[in-house]
């Protein structure tokens, strides 16, 4: 019996050691007056919000009718590694989602009802905390949103058949929120076995995101959170741009935070006056700022640093997506979410410059020289079924890639693209190998590079037999087009959110057209387009020559969203499996209200 007990204790101690060893953190974050500490070291930061680190709101492939999904470890790790390589010490995620009226059955939410929680959604958050410990980046978690995007006061109230404003005063609804808070704070991480209230990767809790909360509500919720967790600091999460005396004096609110958008001059004035008011009393940081000209982002960041604030977090960074490329989220004011380390495809909103400012200031706030970027890790090639549809999972910090191909039984690898890019296209394959030869079998591999060097090679995929090739037109230029006519316009940011974040589309007036010449026998045609006006459509014609084109009726699928916040356009896919030989040309005739997203023409020798 004693031997069995000894073995059991040994196993438990070993498990505990493994959990602790996987974390880079030794201390909880603490505060002394208006400063924050990690042990004896003061903590200040310039970083980014990653709103979808734990819950994806932007999964928008062309055929999608549900933008919500849970992230996997690759996506989470890329997000947190991006923060670390940017010099950030902490990131702030968005809130716990709440079931909304009109949600379809395939939409996952964290909170499904009073005291009812979705385990899979919380396991994704568990994974965030596991990876945060391993990568050495801490996380701020807000409990509830003020806005309707992910569900908040209105949805909690609706569970009880009450109006939104009851959220702040109704005892039943407040107790429902407390059930959520208690569930998360006392939750045992399904990956690490560590309780959230004992997880050192948690930088702080936050009462919520931009809450329009009366102080009495904040006072009660803050006291409740601290009664459950005395290890972690608590941030007040209100919408006001001004710090209040009540918040400064509240013993349960450890850190105060404000969000600043709009007029940069006014933002700087508010930040400066808030810091004067709170100096020597409590830590203060800017929880969100950005969506303004790049130089103004620099000015606000400099103000945060020179005024002695704890830190600031720019809005917002989005990680890579598991099937290749990145997640995307258009904000407003011609600004998209940022993708580390910044790319030429983001030049229209000055992506790279903003990221460079953030990285410069993240080191500068600690009085340190800017560290050299690490060499990227090897990327991961994904399965290739057709040489026209090649993708890979990219590497954090990679600026570009070298894609290589080798014939079966050959010794030498050939570079087919020395500067392949995983940022250009959204939710679709990244590369079309147009130089592959019919009848041959190829292996593929890839490496990643940035200013610091080149990664090792990826896994090898193949052999892939070339029985079909493709024309793939992403509508970013007219390079694939044989002939065109009419008032054609290439779209980048116009209607970008409604068009599922597609940043390269073609529109034209009625009667405009494009023609493709096919260097083989077409076997399949696929045309994807968005409808911005009711019943708008396109016409397709095919034939053996431009002079001998006849209209045909392809198969048609329409992908429509249910009621949603963004007014997504209907997405229409036309497909035609060509049974007979001789189709050498395809003509696409546009009409008003059509935005072509992508055209694929599959052909044989």
């Amino acid at each position: 019996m004693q031997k069995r007990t000894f073995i059991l204790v040994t196993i438990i101690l070993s498990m505990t050691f493994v959990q602790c060893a996987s974390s880079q953190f030794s201390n909880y974050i603490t505060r002394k007056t208006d400063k924050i500490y990690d042990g004896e070291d003061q903590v200040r930061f310039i970083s980014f919000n990653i709103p979808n680190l734990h819950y994806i709101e932007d999964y928008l492939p062309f055929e999608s009718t549900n933008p919500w999904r849970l992230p996997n470890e690759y996506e989470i790790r890329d997000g947190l590694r991006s923060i670390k390589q940017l010099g950030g010490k902490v990131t702030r995620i968005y809130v716990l989602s709440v079931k909304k009226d009109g949600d379809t059955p395939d939409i996952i939410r964290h909170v499904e009802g009073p005291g009812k929680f979705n385990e899979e959604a919380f396991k994704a958050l568990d994974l965030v905390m596991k990876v945060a410990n391993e990568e050495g980046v801490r996380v701020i978690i807000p409990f509830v949103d003020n806005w309707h995007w992910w569900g908040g006061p209105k949805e909690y109230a609706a569970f009880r058949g009450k109006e939104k404003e009851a959220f702040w005063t109704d005892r039943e609804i407040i107790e429902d929120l407390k059930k959520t808070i208690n569930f998360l704070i006392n939750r045992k991480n399904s990956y690490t076995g560590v309780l959230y209230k004992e997880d050192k990767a948690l930088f702080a809790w936050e009462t919520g995101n931009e809450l329009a909360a009366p102080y009495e509500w904040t006072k009660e919720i803050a006291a409740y959170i601290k009664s459950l967790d005395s290890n972690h600091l608590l941030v007040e999460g209100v919408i006001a741009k001004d710090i209040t005396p009540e918040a400064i004096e509240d013993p349960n609110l450890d850190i105060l935070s404000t969000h600043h958008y709009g007029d940069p001059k006014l933002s700087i004035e508010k930040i400066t006056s808030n810091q004067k008011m709170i100096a020597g009393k409590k830590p203060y940081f800017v929880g969100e700022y950005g969506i303004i000209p790049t130089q103004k982002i620099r000015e606000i960041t400099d103000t945060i640093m020179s005024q002695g604030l704890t830190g600031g977090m720019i809005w917002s960074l989005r990680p890579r997506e598991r099937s290749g490329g990145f997640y995307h989220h258009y904000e407003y004011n011609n600004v998209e979410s940022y993708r580390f380390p910044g790319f030429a495809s983001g030049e229209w909103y000055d992506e790279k410059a903003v990221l460079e400012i953030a990285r410069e200031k993240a080191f500068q706030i600690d009085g340190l020289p800017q560290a050299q970027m690490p060499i990227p890790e090897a990327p991961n090639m994904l399965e290739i079924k057709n040489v026209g549809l090649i993708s890979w999972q990219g590497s954090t910090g990679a600026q570009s890639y070298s894609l290589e191909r080798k014939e079966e039984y050959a010794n030498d690898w050939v570079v087919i693209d020395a500067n392949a890019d995983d940022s250009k296209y959204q939710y679709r394959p990244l590369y079309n190998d147009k130089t592959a030869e019919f009848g041959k079998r190829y292996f593929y591999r890839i490496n990643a590079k940035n200013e610091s060097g080149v990664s090792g090679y990826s896994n090898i995929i193949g052999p892939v037999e070339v029985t079909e090739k493709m024309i793939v037109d992403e509508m970013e230029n007219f390079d694939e087009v044989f002939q065109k006519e009419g008032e054609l316009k290439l779209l980048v940011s116009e209607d970008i959110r409604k068009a599922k974040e597609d940043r390269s589309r073609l529109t034209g007036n009625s009667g405009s057209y494009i023609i493709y010449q096919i260097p083989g026998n077409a076997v399949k045609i696929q045309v994807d387009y968005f409808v911005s006006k009711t019943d708008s459509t396109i016409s397709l014609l095919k034939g053996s020559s431009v002079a001998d084109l006849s209209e045909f009726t392809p198969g048609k699928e329409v992908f429509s969203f249910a009621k949603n916040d963004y007014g997504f356009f209907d997405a229409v896919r036309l497909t035609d499996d060509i049974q007979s030989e001789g189709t050498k040309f395809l003509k696409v005739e546009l009409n008003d209200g059509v935005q072509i997203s992508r055209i694929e023409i599959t052909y044989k020798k």
Side-chain angles (χ1 to χ4, degrees):
M1 184 69 178
Q2 288 180 336
K3 182 177 180 181
R4 191 176 299 169
T5 302
F6 173 77
I7 292 171
L8 180 61
V9 170
T10 302
I11 291 171
I12 293 171
L13 289 174
S14 298
M15 289 173 64
T16 303
F17 174 77
V18 169
Q19 291 165 8
C20 294
S22 66
S23 176
Q24 295 193 25
F25 302 115
S26 302
N27 310 298
Y28 296 108
I29 293 293
T30 59
R31 79 170 178 93
K32 298 175 186 176
T33 61
D34 63 349
K35 294 179 175 57
I36 288 177
Y37 290 88
D38 178 357
E40 298 300 316
D41 299 325
Q42 185 182 350
V43 176
R44 297 184 73 200
F45 57 84
I46 299 296
S47 190
F48 279 83
N49 291 269
I50 309 184
N52 67 338
L53 188 65
H54 66 304
Y55 184 61
I56 305 298
E57 63 178 330
D58 299 300
Y59 179 54
L60 293 169
F62 186 81
E63 63 275 17
S64 169
T65 57
N66 172 18
W68 310 95
R69 80 190 305 197
L70 299 176
N72 70 1
E73 184 168 342
Y74 164 77
E75 295 166 339
I76 292 168
R77 198 171 293 277
D78 180 75
L80 290 169
R81 282 184 177 173
S82 295
I83 292 292
K84 191 160 190 177
Q85 291 186 19
L86 278 161
K89 307 175 187 71
V90 57
T91 189
R92 176 176 173 270
I93 64 173
Y94 211 53
V95 297
L96 302 179
S97 60
V98 186
K99 186 175 179 62
K100 303 174 66 175
D101 181 39
D103 277 356
T104 54
D106 56 338
I107 294 178
I108 292 176
R109 303 290 191 191
H110 294 84
V111 182
E112 297 178 335
K116 184 180 179 182
F117 308 108
N118 185 290
E119 180 63 16
E120 291 306 307
F122 278 93
K123 285 176 73 173
L125 183 56
D126 293 347
L127 188 56
V128 168
M129 300 310 295
K130 169 186 176 289
V131 177
N133 275 285
E134 294 168 356
E135 295 295 335
V137 176
R138 287 186 164 98
V139 180
I140 296 172
I141 302 178
F143 285 105
V144 63
D145 197 12
N146 191 63
W147 312 113
H148 65 285
W149 309 109
W150 291 24
K154 179 181 177 182
E155 285 66 36
Y156 272 101
F159 290 151
R160 299 298 184 178
K162 299 172 183 177
E163 296 300 315
K164 175 183 176 180
E165 289 308 309
F167 178 81
W168 309 112
T169 56
D170 186 276
R171 293 312 314 167
E172 190 175 34
I173 300 172
I174 289 173
E175 292 305 314
D176 288 344
L177 177 64
K178 286 182 177 180
K179 290 175 185 176
T180 300
I181 293 169
N182 180 70
F183 175 80
L184 183 55
I185 288 177
N186 286 299
R187 177 179 174 81
K188 181 182 287 187
N189 189 302
S190 58
Y191 293 93
T192 66
V194 176
L195 298 176
Y196 273 72
K197 65 184 178 183
E198 296 174 358
D199 194 330
K200 295 182 175 67
L202 179 64
F203 187 91
W205 300 111
E206 188 172 12
T207 55
N209 176 65
E210 298 181 342
L211 299 175
Y215 173 66
E216 287 305 312
W217 181 94
T218 299
K219 180 180 179 181
E220 178 177 348
I221 294 301
Y224 181 70
I225 292 168
K226 297 298 279 189
S227 74
L228 298 175
D229 183 356
S230 59
N231 292 323
H232 293 101
L233 302 181
L234 177 62
V235 180
E236 182 193 33
V238 293
I239 193 171
K241 297 183 184 296
D242 299 291
I243 285 174
T244 64
E246 294 94 340
I248 293 176
E249 294 166 7
D250 192 315
N252 295 307
L253 294 172
D254 300 296
I255 308 171
L256 303 190
S257 171
T258 53
H259 296 182
H260 296 274
Y261 295 105
D263 183 357
K265 183 174 182 292
L266 180 60
S267 294
I268 289 172
E269 290 174 359
K270 290 287 187 183
I271 292 167
T272 302
S273 63
N274 285 335
Q275 179 61 11
K276 286 180 181 177
M277 186 178 185
I278 201 172
K281 300 172 184 176
K282 284 185 177 178
Y284 167 49
F285 76 99
V286 177
E288 293 181 21
Y289 67 106
I291 316 182
I292 52 178
T294 303
Q295 186 55 36
K296 299 302 179 182
I297 291 178
R298 179 183 288 276
E299 290 176 15
I300 291 179
T301 308
D302 284 338
T303 300
I304 288 168
M305 295 168 62
S306 65
Q307 292 296 316
L309 275 69
T310 292
M313 289 196 175
I314 298 169
W315 187 271
S316 68
L317 191 75
R318 309 275 164 158
R320 283 180 165 83
E321 194 258 308
R322 68 193 74 168
S323 60
F326 288 81
Y327 286 105
H328 297 264
H329 187 97
Y330 181 78
E331 300 293 349
Y332 60 91
N333 207 23
N334 253 11
V335 173
E336 262 244 30
S337 54
Y338 299 102
R339 306 157 303 167
F340 180 68
F343 300 91
S345 61
E347 185 176 351
W348 59 278
Y349 59 106
D350 219 9
E351 179 180 53
K352 190 168 179 61
V354 171
L355 290 162
E356 287 174 348
I357 288 170
R359 191 167 192 270
E360 170 194 339
K361 299 302 180 182
F363 288 95
Q364 201 175 91
I365 201 169
D366 285 332
L368 298 173
Q370 191 167 322
Q372 184 177 6
M373 281 275 291
I375 296 171
E377 293 189 355
N380 178 46
M381 287 294 294
L382 299 173
E383 182 183 5
I384 302 171
K385 294 181 178 180
N386 185 305
V387 295
L389 305 172
I390 296 175
S391 283
W392 59 92
Q393 292 178 335
S395 309
T396 306
Q399 191 68 60
S400 63
Y401 302 83
S402 181
L403 180 61
E404 299 183 4
R405 183 183 71 200
K406 181 175 79 72
E407 289 186 41
E408 190 177 24
Y409 307 121
N411 294 320
D412 297 329
W413 289 87
V414 176
V415 175
I416 57 174
D417 192 334
N419 291 291
D421 187 346
D422 66 347
S423 75
K424 291 172 68 176
Y425 310 125
Q426 300 74 238
Y427 310 108
R428 58 193 64 184
L430 301 174
Y431 190 81
N432 175 18
D433 185 3
K434 294 188 287 187
T435 63
E437 296 181 33
F438 282 111
K440 292 188 175 181
R441 288 159 59 91
Y442 295 105
F443 291 94
Y444 291 87
R445 69 180 185 182
I446 195 168
N447 59 25
K449 51 189 175 180
N450 63 14
E451 63 199 46
S452 298
V454 181
S455 76
Y457 282 106
S458 69
N459 55 315
I460 296 171
I461 295 293
V464 181
E465 185 174 359
V466 185
T467 59
E468 297 177 340
K469 295 178 64 174
M470 298 178 76
I471 295 172
V472 178
D473 194 346
E474 291 283 359
M475 306 299 143
E476 58 182 328
N477 52 45
F478 294 105
D479 289 356
E480 300 292 341
V481 173
F482 173 71
Q483 186 176 313
K484 60 185 174 68
E485 186 66 49
E487 296 178 13
L488 298 167
K489 182 181 179 183
L490 297 169
L491 303 179
V492 177
S493 61
E494 300 94 326
D495 295 326
I496 188 171
R497 188 63 181 166
K498 293 180 180 180
K500 296 183 176 179
E501 303 293 332
D502 190 333
R503 299 184 302 171
S504 52
R505 288 157 284 135
L506 176 66
T507 188
N509 63 322
S510 293
S512 58
Y513 66 82
I514 50 177
I515 295 177
Y516 297 91
Q517 183 177 25
I518 305 163
N521 291 304
V523 294
K524 184 177 181 180
I525 292 167
Q526 178 174 300
V527 180
D528 291 347
Y529 67 94
F530 297 104
V531 177
S532 63
K533 293 182 180 179
T534 306
D535 297 328
S536 291
T537 187
I538 63 176
S539 299
L540 301 182
L541 298 89
K542 63 185 178 182
S544 58
S545 69
V546 173
D548 183 30
L549 296 174
S550 57
E551 188 171 351
F552 64 99
T553 303
K556 181 177 181 179
E557 290 182 275
V558 181
F559 307 102
S560 299
F561 276 88
K563 181 182 177 183
N564 63 84
D565 295 317
Y566 297 110
F568 291 113
F569 295 147
D570 279 354
V572 181
R573 171 166 291 166
L574 305 180
T575 55
D576 186 63
D577 293 317
I578 300 171
Q579 302 299 320
S580 58
E581 294 186 2
T583 297
K584 298 290 186 178
F585 292 87
L586 172 69
K587 182 178 183 180
V588 183
E589 294 181 343
L590 287 78
N591 286 293
D592 290 335
V594 166
Q595 298 179 10
I596 298 179
S597 170
R598 175 182 165 105
I599 293 177
E600 295 180 3
I601 304 171
T602 306
Y603 62 94
K604 291 189 175 182
K605 190 172 181 180

